[in-house]
Amino acid sequence: MVVMSLEEEYDDQATVFYREYAGRVQGFLISMGCDRGLAEEITDDAFLAARRRWAHVRDLNEPAGYVFKIARNERSKRQKDHDCRAKDLHPDPYGAVRAAGDDLAQIVADRAVVRQALRQLPARQREAIILRDVAGLSEAATAQAMGVSVGSVKRYTSEARQKLRLLLSEFRRQQEGNDR
Amino acid sequence: MTGDEELGAILAMLCGDLDDAELDRRAARFRGALRRLRDDPAEATRIDALAADAGDDPTVVSLVTHAEGGDRDAWAEIVERYAPLVWAICTRFKLSRADAEDVAQTVWLLLVEHLGKLREPAALSGWLATTTQRECLRVVTAARRSGQRGTWLDRALQFVDDKAIDEEILLAERNAALPEALAELPSRCQQLLSMLLADPPHSYAEISTALHIPIGSIGPQRARCLERLRRSNALIAWAQEEPRGRGQVHDSTDGR
């Protein structure tokens, strides 16, 4: 008879959890400015840490919030914000659109603008909107990941969205002006 | 003006999900890392530190928040997690099983009342440890009142050098000899010890402000004051009434 040990069972559960959330954790880290290699490394470490405390983590209301929190703290330890603010900006998102002029180019350009705009947001707003809208976490999970209240998450997110909306419409107005 | 939905769609695209093949590869790598984690204590320590660094224990914070909101499961989990801590402290005080159970029950009742007032939910274990020690001392003191003085003194002195010194003083405070012993001390020591004896005890920050002592010197000063207290005539005289306590006190003074 094959009896699965508790450890093996936990490994399996943690792997399911990994498959569900690893992409999002990594997406969060990359949006926060990590390069891909560092993002992969931190992502795997965060899930390993969750596995080590699996008996507690699996019973949490927001297990995803837990793993994002570890990833978030690890990122801020290993990468200073100024490293990721300036680099990796698209040199000319407007130009790319004017050259191609089709929908795909519009999408690419919008994303480039939003990425750039994200980097200009205050740290907490940036983090909140990336966790909520890029990684797709709930408000409660975001609150746990950031170690703040749900009310603060709402405030940071709505402030960030408002700024991004403004920047994006501003960009499109300029773009229309250039196209004429 | 760009709408929320449109912005949401753009932001969601930034995430770039892993495709199935990539996910399979990564999941296999993750399994490998899990196996290595079991055989490599150094790696396990490194990984555990990540969780610890993530602001002590997020689990506790959410448990406290939920328990405060009346969540029975969260309550059960807190009791389950911390019962061993409470029990271990009772053991340290050599309480009988019945006494330890009484102490544990009192501690949990106090926690019910106190939960909303925990300023920092992450400090739960500290609060529980302090409260349990205080309750243990209450039981030990009660036992002494009913005629087991020698045992009590052994325990009291046994803990004087311990870190959890506030509670030990609290214990000693209830001794009739203590006010006399305190009176022998310089007034600074009296002030310091009385602040440490207050229930609830004053924080180091408060003591620092009130007595104009840098926070860093409170610990050493406390130790010196306690040493004087142990050598005070009142306490030694009192201890000599009881053969079992005498040896302890003489050991600690003769040794200097």
Side-chain angles (χ1 to χ4, degrees):
Chain A
M1 192 172 81
V2 179
V3 179
M4 207 184 208
S5 77
L6 191 62
E7 293 289 305
E8 285 165 1
E9 202 181 313
Y10 281 0
D11 279 1
D12 282 353
Q13 291 170 0
T15 308
V16 171
F17 182 56
Y18 180 88
R19 292 186 72 102
E20 188 174 349
Y21 286 102
R24 294 208 239 163
V25 171
Q26 193 168 303
F28 157 70
L29 291 167
I30 290 173
S31 294
M32 290 298 288
C34 291
D35 65 40
R36 193 166 175 102
L38 183 62
E40 281 193 14
E41 210 175 289
I42 295 178
T43 301
D44 286 4
D45 280 358
F47 281 90
L48 289 175
R51 164 62 187 87
R52 294 282 296 174
R53 307 180 64 127
W54 190 247
H56 294 307
V57 173
R58 64 173 185 162
D59 288 340
L60 291 178
N61 289 322
E62 302 291 349
Y66 182 86
V67 84
F68 272 92
K69 176 164 193 171
I70 293 176
R72 160 188 190 262
N73 286 6
E74 194 57 13
R75 185 203 73 86
S76 57
K77 255 193 309 183
R78 292 171 65 167
Q79 182 192 39
K80 294 292 160 228
D81 266 343
H82 59 80
D83 293 341
C84 67
R85 280 258 172 117
K87 72 165 193 186
D88 200 25
L89 295 185
H90 195 290
D92 181 16
Y94 318 117
V97 177
R98 269 186 292 141
D102 61 14
D103 285 353
L104 184 65
Q106 181 69 54
I107 291 168
V108 171
D110 282 350
R111 286 169 62 171
V113 167
V114 170
R115 269 194 200 282
Q116 290 193 17
L118 280 175
R119 306 253 157 114
Q120 286 156 28
L121 293 177
R124 299 227 135 191
Q125 290 182 18
R126 187 173 104 193
E127 222 172 352
I129 197 172
I130 291 176
L131 286 167
R132 288 281 288 122
D133 293 347
V134 178
L137 286 194
S138 68
E139 281 173 345
T142 304
Q144 162 151 33
M146 295 181 63
V148 300
S149 70
V150 171
S152 306
V153 168
K154 287 184 183 170
R155 198 175 65 247
Y156 292 140
T157 314
S158 82
E159 285 166 357
R161 281 183 190 148
Q162 199 174 349
K163 273 183 204 166
L164 288 181
R165 272 203 308 271
L166 275 174
L167 284 162
L168 197 58
S169 53
E170 175 89 351
F171 157 68
R172 287 188 176 160
R173 257 203 311 282
Q174 278 182 18
Q175 189 186 310
E176 279 163 23
N178 290 340
D179 286 345
R180 259 176 224 134
Chain B
M1 194 71 167
T2 316
D4 256 348
E5 273 177 33
E6 192 190 353
L7 181 66
I10 295 170
L11 285 165
M13 278 192 299
L14 294 184
C15 188
D17 267 337
L18 304 177
D19 64 34
D20 284 350
E22 167 82 350
L23 204 50
D24 287 343
R25 189 182 66 77
R26 292 285 298 279
R29 197 172 78 182
F30 182 66
R31 295 301 291 232
L34 283 178
R35 278 192 299 274
R36 274 197 305 283
L37 205 54
R38 244 180 257 164
D39 305 331
D40 184 351
E43 175 69 358
T45 309
R46 183 183 75 85
I47 293 295
D48 286 346
L50 299 185
D53 288 351
D56 67 62
D57 196 344
T59 323
V60 178
V61 179
S62 79
L63 280 178
V64 169
T65 316
H66 287 106
E68 205 189 322
D71 180 337
R72 279 162 182 274
D73 289 344
W75 247 114
E77 164 103 21
I78 288 178
V79 175
E80 193 183 328
R81 281 186 75 157
Y82 290 100
L85 169 72
V86 172
W87 195 257
I89 294 171
C90 292
T91 314
R92 206 163 70 98
F93 280 82
K94 301 189 171 66
L95 295 191
S96 70
R97 191 184 171 88
D99 281 347
E101 275 164 7
D102 281 350
V103 165
Q105 196 166 13
T106 311
V107 169
W108 298 123
L109 284 173
L110 287 170
L111 182 62
V112 175
E113 293 166 15
H114 199 83
L115 206 55
K117 292 179 232 154
L118 272 184
R119 266 169 299 177
E120 186 54 67
L124 176 63
S125 57
W127 186 90
L128 281 172
T130 307
T131 308
T132 307
Q133 290 184 47
R134 192 171 295 148
E135 288 308 310
C136 285
L137 287 161
R138 206 191 296 282
V139 169
V140 172
T141 309
R144 185 212 133 227
R145 284 213 182 104
S146 61
Q148 302 168 17
R149 176 179 281 184
T151 333
W152 170 80
L153 183 69
D154 281 350
R155 288 173 189 159
L157 290 171
Q158 179 185 337
F159 286 112
V160 163
D161 283 329
D162 215 316
K163 283 200 172 155
I165 215 92
D166 303 4
E167 283 70 32
E168 276 82 65
I169 311 173
L170 191 67
L171 166 61
E173 181 196 31
R174 294 184 181 146
N175 179 337
L178 205 72
E180 277 180 61
L182 275 171
E184 290 176 37
L185 302 184
S187 66
R188 271 193 93 66
C189 274
Q190 289 183 33
Q191 286 172 342
L192 178 62
L193 290 180
S194 66
M195 285 194 83
L196 288 164
L197 283 166
D199 187 5
H202 294 276
S203 70
Y204 272 19
E206 289 168 337
I207 294 174
S208 166
T209 313
L211 303 183
H212 308 287
I213 309 173
I215 285 184
S217 336
I218 294 178
Q221 288 202 28
R222 183 179 69 172
R224 281 195 292 277
C225 291
L226 280 172
E227 185 54 32
R228 281 173 182 263
L229 190 66
R230 292 162 86 195
R231 295 189 200 195
S232 66
N233 295 326
L235 210 58
I236 290 172
W238 181 83
Q240 280 171 341
E241 292 170 24
E242 178 60 57
R244 288 181 70 181
R246 186 162 52 212
Q248 293 259 357
V249 172
H250 280 173
D251 283 347
S252 67
T253 49
D254 292 347
R256 308 271 154 166

